[in-house]
Amino acid sequence: MYRLVSLLLASLYLARALPVQLDDVTNVCDLQYNYCPRDPGCSTYTMSVHNVQVRDLNTNTDIKISNVTVGSTFALTVTGKTTMTQVPVSGSYRLYALTGGNVGTGLLTDALTLGANGSFTMQVQFNVAANNFGSSRDLFEVGLDVFQKASGSDEGMCVQIESTEYVKEAQAKSSPAFDLLCKDDGDGHFEKLENPVAMPVFDVTGATCGPPPPPPGCALDWYYCPRDPGCKTYTMSVETTEFDTHDSKGYKAGDKVTLIVKGTTSLTAIPPSGSYRIYALSGHNEGSGVLSDVMALSAGSFTVTVPFTLSSESFSGTDFEFGLDVFQGASGSDEGMCIEVANPSYVAEVKAKPTPPFVTYCKDEGHGHFVSTLPSGTPEVVKPVKCVL
């Protein structure tokens, strides 16, 4: 959605860069993001988006996008990789609404920060307007367009943040097509495609509004494998983990369970020599197989669905834990992803121990991109598992 509106008119809706903090995580539910559909300017993009956070500053609790009040202040944080080596002094950005018109504009130097290893962080605020919504409150969209030169020229990036219902409607329409005209290499390089492809869409994660708490007997968490030196070759960024127990009372040794892991990846094909292993709390394997039998890829997203039988070796007293390790090369080499699933008792124990530390040796930047944080590592981020009985 490529729109040129004069900077003079846009200045009537001045957006505010800063003072968003990186720890201001998303608290708005039912949002997704993608590059601007059918944007011919994508050939000049220099910013690969890896993550988007959206925070409603008018509430301290998680809120559905359909319940957001017009006039509320949204803080947007966009991170990723870029080929820029300095912020263009003539650069600008614009925020536009679903039904047309700008809801904000500003100087790029006020909003964009360049970091190490080609990373960038862009932070802006704007007031939600009535024209950010469509015919119903379930339809929401705001676009962020970045220009590297004066007068809104030389597009550096354009991304849309939308409600899930808006995305469903856009995908269902045959015209205009919900397509992407360029290939994102993930590092700020974009290649114009001869033929458009279906638009990859990603979840804005971090907020929980609808799902009920885990059922009794099945409260579980997941996190990346602690102190895993192989994380530097990870290519799979986990977003959600589901554990289907097929047991109305929870889970126990002998249950035939299913682990479903979804996220984004830098893989474009399933490695033919890839494999996976399920290991128990004891350290022994309780399942393994060929990766192509359990993995599916679609437009930069992956789903790994692993059925296996829980062994008694995943239990120890009040503790429960098992891990999933994915390998991209033959003979269990070239690690692609490793996570552990554990109950709160086990997580509390490992967190409380001073040694070994409960840390990960890599930072997940999204879309299957991981950066080493050795030698000290970074604290593990523990997230809830969706448990289905």
PDB file of all heavy atoms in Angstrom, residues 101 118 120 134 299 389:
ATOM      1  N   GLY A 101      -5.411   8.609   4.405  1.00  0.00           N
ATOM      2  CA  GLY A 101      -4.952   9.743   5.193  1.00  0.00           C
ATOM      3  C   GLY A 101      -3.865   9.356   6.172  1.00  0.00           C
ATOM      4  O   GLY A 101      -3.768   8.205   6.612  1.00  0.00           O
ATOM      5  N   GLY A 118      24.627  -4.321  11.938  1.00  0.00           N
ATOM      6  CA  GLY A 118      23.563  -4.004  10.993  1.00  0.00           C
ATOM      7  C   GLY A 118      22.165  -3.988  11.570  1.00  0.00           C
ATOM      8  O   GLY A 118      21.190  -3.980  10.821  1.00  0.00           O
ATOM      9  N   PHE A 120      18.785  -2.481  13.574  1.00  0.00           N
ATOM     10  CA  PHE A 120      18.133  -1.189  13.721  1.00  0.00           C
ATOM     11  C   PHE A 120      16.956  -1.321  14.668  1.00  0.00           C
ATOM     12  O   PHE A 120      16.369  -2.391  14.841  1.00  0.00           O
ATOM     13  CB  PHE A 120      17.668  -0.632  12.373  1.00  0.00           C
ATOM     14  CG  PHE A 120      16.416  -1.278  11.816  1.00  0.00           C
ATOM     15  CD1 PHE A 120      15.149  -0.878  12.227  1.00  0.00           C
ATOM     16  CD2 PHE A 120      16.505  -2.295  10.880  1.00  0.00           C
ATOM     17  CE1 PHE A 120      14.001  -1.466  11.726  1.00  0.00           C
ATOM     18  CE2 PHE A 120      15.359  -2.901  10.371  1.00  0.00           C
ATOM     19  CZ  PHE A 120      14.109  -2.489  10.796  1.00  0.00           C
ATOM     20  N   GLY A 134     -11.944  -0.078  10.024  1.00  0.00           N
ATOM     21  CA  GLY A 134     -12.784  -0.205   8.846  1.00  0.00           C
ATOM     22  C   GLY A 134     -14.251  -0.199   9.210  1.00  0.00           C
ATOM     23  O   GLY A 134     -14.694   0.539  10.091  1.00  0.00           O
ATOM     24  N   ALA A 299       6.006 -19.907   3.384  1.00  0.00           N
ATOM     25  CA  ALA A 299       6.246 -18.454   3.324  1.00  0.00           C
ATOM     26  C   ALA A 299       6.984 -17.930   4.547  1.00  0.00           C
ATOM     27  O   ALA A 299       6.556 -16.979   5.192  1.00  0.00           O
ATOM     28  CB  ALA A 299       4.932 -17.711   3.145  1.00  0.00           C
ATOM     29  N   LEU A 389      -5.894 -30.996  26.430  1.00  0.00           N
ATOM     30  CA  LEU A 389      -6.129 -32.320  27.019  1.00  0.00           C
ATOM     31  C   LEU A 389      -6.914 -33.196  26.047  1.00  0.00           C
ATOM     32  O   LEU A 389      -7.611 -32.720  25.175  1.00  0.00           O
ATOM     33  CB  LEU A 389      -6.897 -32.179  28.326  1.00  0.00           C
ATOM     34  CG  LEU A 389      -6.241 -31.299  29.408  1.00  0.00           C
ATOM     35  CD1 LEU A 389      -7.061 -31.343  30.668  1.00  0.00           C
ATOM     36  CD2 LEU A 389      -4.814 -31.728  29.684  1.00  0.00           C
TER      37      LEU A 389
END
